[in-house]
Amino acid sequence: MSDATAAASGGVGVGPYAELTFDADGDVDPGSRDAVASLQATDLLVFAHGWNSDRSTSTRLFDRFYAPFPGLVGPGVRLGYVGVVWPSIRFSDEPIPDFDPHGALAEPGHGTALDPATLRALGEFWPGRVAELDRIAELLEDRPESAAAFTEFGALVRELAGVDVVDVVDAADAASAVGAVGAVLSVGPADAAGAGVGPAVRDVPAIFTLDVLEVCRAFTEGLVEAGAPAGDAAGPAFSPGGGLRALWSGAKELLRQATYYQMKKRAGVVGERGLGPVLAELAGRRPALRVHLIGHSFGARVVSFSLRAVPDGARYVKSATLFQGAFSHYAFTDRLPHDKGSGGALRGMQRRVDGPVVACHSPYDSALKVFYPLASRMAGDSAGLLGFDERWGAIGHDGVQAVPGAPRLTLDAALRAGVPEAGCVSVDTGSVVRRGGPPSGAHSDICHEELARLVVAAGRMGR
C-alpha cells in the first residue's frame, strides 16, 4: 500500500478502510457512517474493539489484526475493512501483547496507585467527575488502614458507576429474600435472565451491594489466584485475616470492575441502537454486500447485540466471530439449564446470521476466568477454588453453553476442516491466545494470523 493510501486509511495498512464511531448512547458520527457507506467491497469486515482508552490504540489494534487478511481471501473477494470505535477504557496495567514495551507482560503493574494515563482515561470515561476521581486516586495512593476510608471509596465508586443508593439497598434486600438466587447480582447476569428476581436486582452487581471490605478482600484473593504478586514494596503481602492496607489491591479491582459494568451496558446500547441500525440501513442500499462481524471482549457484545437490529428474513450478516467475549456463555440459549422458563438475552439471535457464530475462548484469559464470575461467589454461591459459578461464566472463557448441537472444536481442527455452515460453534484458541500477565492474562492476545484465518473460514472467503 502506498503512503498516500495508508494516510487515507487512517494509518491502517489495509484498504479500503474506515472507522465507524459511536458515542455512549449509540449515536453514530455521520461522517464516519458516510465513509463506511462509500467503501467498495464484496465483503465488509466489521471489527469492534474491547477495552481501549484512546483512538490510537484502537487503530493500532485494527491495523495489526487486519494485516494478514489480504493474503488469505480468494480472488473473487474484495474486502472492505471497518473499525468500530466506541467509548471504553483500558487500565494501563492491562498490557496488550505486541503493543506494550518489551517485558511489560512480566511486570507487576503500577501497584494500587493510578498512573497518569489511567487517571486521564478515567476522566474521559466519566466526564465531569474530576473531584471524585482525584479522591479515589488519593485513597489508592495513600492506602489508609481505615474501614471508614474503604466505605468512602465504595461510595465514590458506586456514584461513578451510576448505581443509586436506593437501588443498592433494594437489591441487597431482594438478594437476601431469594437466597441462592442472589448470585444473579454478578458482573454477567443480564445476558442470562434469572427467574424470580426483578429488573432492579439484575441491574445491580453484587460488588455494589455487599460490604466493601468483603468485596475488596475477595478481589484481592482473586488477584492472587490470577497470578498477581501477593504484595508490593508499598505495603505487606496479602494474607487471609491480614491488615486492611493490603486490601487496597482489591479496591483498585473494584474500580476496574465499575468500568467493566459501565462498558457492558454501553456495549449493548452501541450494538443494538447504533451498529445494528447502521448496518441494516447499509444493507438496504447495497443488498449484495456481505457483512462479517468481529468483536473482542466487550466489542464481542457490541457486534452480538447488533444482531437484534437485523430485520426478519435479512441474510446480509454472513458470519460473526467473537474473540474472548465478555458476556454470558448462556446468551444464545433458548432455555437456561437452571431455569427452563427463561433464555439468554440473545436467544435465537444466531439464526439471524446466514453463517456461523464462532465463539473463541482461551483458558489463559484471567479476566474472564477469575474476575468475571467472582461476584457470584461474593453473593454466596461458592463453586470451586476460584468461586466459578457456571451459571454466569463468560463465553470467552468456555465458549457457548446450553445450545443443542453446538460443536466444540480446537483451533487446529477448525482451521483444518472448517467450521459449520450455520449456528453456534465454540473454538478453543488457547494454542495461540496464551500471552499476558496479571490481572487480565491473555485477554488481549488476539493478533494472530491463525485467528484471521478463522474469520476467513467462518465467512467462506478463503482461496
Side-chain angles (χ1 to χ4, degrees):
M1 175 177 289
S2 69
D3 291 341
T5 303
S9 296
V12 173
V14 296
Y17 170 82
E19 288 183 350
L20 188 57
T21 305
F22 296 93
D23 65 17
D25 296 320
D27 293 327
V28 66
D29 173 74
S32 70
R33 179 192 57 209
D34 295 343
V36 169
S38 69
L39 297 180
Q40 297 303 307
T42 60
D43 292 73
L44 200 64
L45 302 178
V46 181
F47 182 16
H49 65 70
W51 52 62
N52 288 316
S53 297
D54 57 73
R55 194 180 194 116
S56 64
T57 303
S58 302
T59 301
R60 289 171 65 200
L61 173 64
F62 300 143
D63 178 46
R64 184 68 60 87
F65 183 82
Y66 278 148
F69 280 87
L72 300 177
V73 298
V77 175
R78 188 167 70 255
L79 292 178
Y81 303 86
V82 176
V84 177
V85 179
W86 60 286
S88 61
I89 185 174
R90 178 179 69 98
F91 282 44
S92 61
D93 63 356
E94 300 171 358
I96 300 176
D98 300 324
F99 281 28
D100 294 282
H102 180 70
L105 302 183
E107 294 296 326
H110 302 277
T112 63
L114 296 176
D115 64 285
T118 297
L119 191 55
R120 282 195 304 272
L122 287 167
E124 295 175 3
F125 189 72
W126 283 310
R129 296 303 185 97
V130 174
E132 292 93 333
L133 288 169
D134 283 348
R135 179 56 178 159
I136 281 175
E138 182 180 7
L139 289 169
L140 289 173
E141 178 81 28
D142 296 343
R143 306 201 313 172
E145 194 154 359
S146 159
F150 280 93
T151 299
E152 179 188 3
F153 184 89
L156 288 168
V157 170
R158 283 197 301 270
E159 187 173 346
L160 289 174
V163 177
D164 190 270
V165 175
V166 174
D167 291 339
V168 171
V169 173
D170 289 345
D173 290 344
S176 175
V178 299
V181 183
V184 78
L185 299 171
S186 69
V187 177
D191 298 319
V197 182
V201 178
R202 284 198 297 268
D203 288 344
V204 182
I207 56 175
F208 301 129
T209 68
L210 303 178
D211 178 78
V212 67
L213 279 175
E214 292 308 308
V215 170
C216 292
R217 187 176 300 277
F219 279 132
T220 303
E221 292 172 349
L223 281 168
V224 175
E225 298 289 0
D232 58 40
F238 170 74
S239 61
L244 297 182
R245 189 169 173 81
L247 300 187
W248 285 102
S249 294
K252 185 177 182 179
E253 290 310 304
L254 174 58
L255 177 64
R256 195 193 312 268
Q257 291 293 325
T259 67
Y260 293 173
Y261 172 65
Q262 195 73 47
M263 280 191 287
K264 176 183 175 181
K265 292 194 296 182
R266 286 184 184 178
V269 169
V270 170
E272 184 172 0
R273 301 179 189 174
L275 179 60
V278 167
L279 293 178
E281 179 185 5
L282 177 60
R285 299 205 310 256
R286 297 170 59 183
L289 185 66
R290 296 161 42 92
V291 174
H292 306 276
L293 301 175
I294 308 164
H296 169 236
S297 184
F298 286 110
R301 182 176 167 90
V302 170
V303 300
S304 296
F305 272 71
S306 78
L307 296 174
R308 284 181 165 180
V310 175
D312 291 339
R315 312 306 296 170
Y316 57 87
V317 179
K318 298 299 181 180
S319 67
T321 308
L322 315 175
F323 295 113
Q324 304 312 117
F327 62 99
S328 174
H329 57 193
Y330 290 144
F332 291 101
T333 188
D334 290 327
R335 293 184 179 181
L336 297 174
H338 52 280
D339 179 7
K340 301 298 185 182
S342 298
L346 296 171
R347 70 186 77 178
M349 288 296 106
Q350 65 270 29
R351 292 187 278 275
R352 298 194 179 185
V353 179
D354 189 25
V357 174
V358 183
C360 301
H361 57 96
S362 169
Y364 303 103
D365 184 334
S366 300
L368 301 182
K369 178 180 181 180
V370 177
F371 293 104
Y372 187 93
L374 184 55
S376 292
R377 181 178 74 176
M378 291 187 289
D381 273 5
S382 179
L385 179 64
L386 298 180
F388 180 73
D389 180 347
E390 66 178 9
R391 287 183 295 170
W392 310 124
I395 198 170
H397 169 65
D398 59 356
V400 174
Q401 300 291 326
V403 175
R408 308 184 68 83
L409 306 174
T410 65
L411 179 59
D412 180 67
L415 294 179
R416 184 178 63 252
V419 297
E421 293 185 0
C424 292
V425 57
S426 300
V427 177
D428 185 342
T429 58
S431 58
V432 296
V433 180
R434 56 192 306 121
R435 297 177 301 158
S440 54
H443 187 71
S444 295
D445 185 21
I446 63 165
C447 293
H448 298 278
E449 181 177 328
E450 294 91 339
L451 301 186
R453 290 169 56 200
L454 186 61
V455 173
V456 169
R460 303 298 191 267
M461 296 177 284
R463 295 177 182 276

